[in-house]
Amino acid sequence: MTEEKDSRLLAISEKVAAGSRISADEGLHLYQEAGLGYLARLATLVRNRLNGKTVWFNRNFHIEPTNICIHNCRFCSYSRKFNQEGAWEMTPEEILAEIERFRDKNVTEVHIVGGVHPHRDMEYYESMLRAVRTANPGLFIKAFTAVELDFMFKKSRITVDEGLRKLKTAGLDAIPGGGAEIFDETIRKTICPDKSDSQTWLGIHEAAHRAGIPTNATMLYGHIESYSHRIDHLERLRTLQDRTSGFQVFIPLKYRKANNPLGIVGETSAIEDLRNFAVGRIYLDNFPHIKAYWPMIGKEMASLSLSCGVDDLDGTIEDTTRIYSMAGAEDQNPAMSEEELVSLIRNAGYVASERDTLYNTLKVH
Ligand code: V47
Ligand code: SF4
């Protein structure tokens, strides 16, 4: 059936155009039946309604303090056990040296995430935050996935609410979206059997929102999940966001197959990646932003993603994130100057706006 003759697709597009919410069944129908052009047009309606012609970026850098991890996620190319070749642990001095290295580069945010190190407890992470805050008081600190937080709170035998309160006092400004993967319990059992479960991930984000800490949400897609699993994931995020409004942005993460045991399943096509951005934008009508992490997908795909609902580009400054380069990301040494990023955005027909972590405008280019 062509899209024009699919009355269900037409009904969905009328709903989206009227600003109404689509159901889980309708989301699934979009994934199953709508072509890229159709989805791109609908997603653009939603993105223009929420963000006009603006595409945001921020000047951030990443620190990965360790890749030693207690978990055994089958999609992970990066984690190591103690004494295994390729394992690293940064000392507090090395972390501060990174903060120093970026001092004069006009950055506004540091993103700190790593493996779940078995010996690190609350005290360690609180003192890391305090040291970073003291070294550069103006820097926003976006740190620790819900999976890292789950471990540190349990290790230190404190509640989630208490743990978040302590970390906030020590300097935590925002929480990144990692560790969400796919919420469906059966898929999770196969791809990340021993890590924090979906309820824990969602519970920590809900508690963060209650505590006034904004968070991000990701979805790792393109491995063994079906479209229904993706919709279930989006639905759980949309439901929580209805309650809290604490999510700032949704970031779909394309599964990359290099150097990890799941590799056998292959990777999604570029068309499928763009369709996925678009369905995310259409379905998550209560998420203000959709982000593409360009070092993972490459500059050309980042540019195309702007026509599929994406309004935020991440990975602005000498991105040295190893979780992707080790998994086979498009760009092994990703770096984009501000001029390059701004012209990528302008050439796609949008207005580039530098933002801070909370999406306040710092400069319109
Ligand atoms: O949770 C791990 C993913 C995530 C692979 O919040 C992989 O602003 C693809 O969440 N192929 C961590 N993905 C990174 C993350 C993130 C990145 C950029 C911005 C933000 C933000 C968050 O990386 C993990 C997992 O889903 N990941 N291995 C892989 N082989
Ligand atoms: Fe550990 Fe994160 Fe890798 Fe899972 S994805 S093994 S939690 S570093």
Side-chain angles (χ1 to χ4, degrees), residues 66-79 81 114-116 145 147 181 192 194-195 323:
T66 183
N67 66 342
I68 293 173
C69 187
I70 57 167
H71 294 305
N72 297 286
C73 304
R74 295 187 61 218
F75 51 79
C76 184
S77 314
Y78 142 111
S79 74
K81 303 300 176 199
V116 178
T145 66
V147 177
E181 321 313 356
C192 49
D194 56 2
K195 101 185 211 180
I323 198 157

Side-chain angles (χ1 to χ4, degrees), residues 143-218:
F144 314 135
T145 66
V147 177
E148 291 168 277
L149 294 169
D150 181 30
F151 179 80
M152 69 178 92
F153 299 159
K154 283 181 178 146
K155 185 169 175 68
S156 298
R157 296 171 194 277
I158 54 174
T159 64
V160 171
D161 288 328
E162 193 185 347
L164 288 170
R165 193 179 45 71
K166 278 171 170 257
L167 293 176
K168 192 175 178 194
T169 305
L172 184 70
D173 293 308
I175 292 174
E181 321 313 356
I182 281 281
F183 291 141
D184 178 85
E185 283 72 14
T186 50
I187 298 294
R188 229 177 157 78
K189 228 176 242 165
T190 305
I191 65 170
C192 49
D194 56 2
K195 101 185 211 180
S196 314
D197 63 19
S198 310
Q199 284 317 312
T200 304
W201 191 98
L202 290 160
I204 288 177
H205 280 258
E206 181 159 14
H209 300 168
R210 267 199 312 274
I213 303 171
T215 77
N216 299 346
T218 57

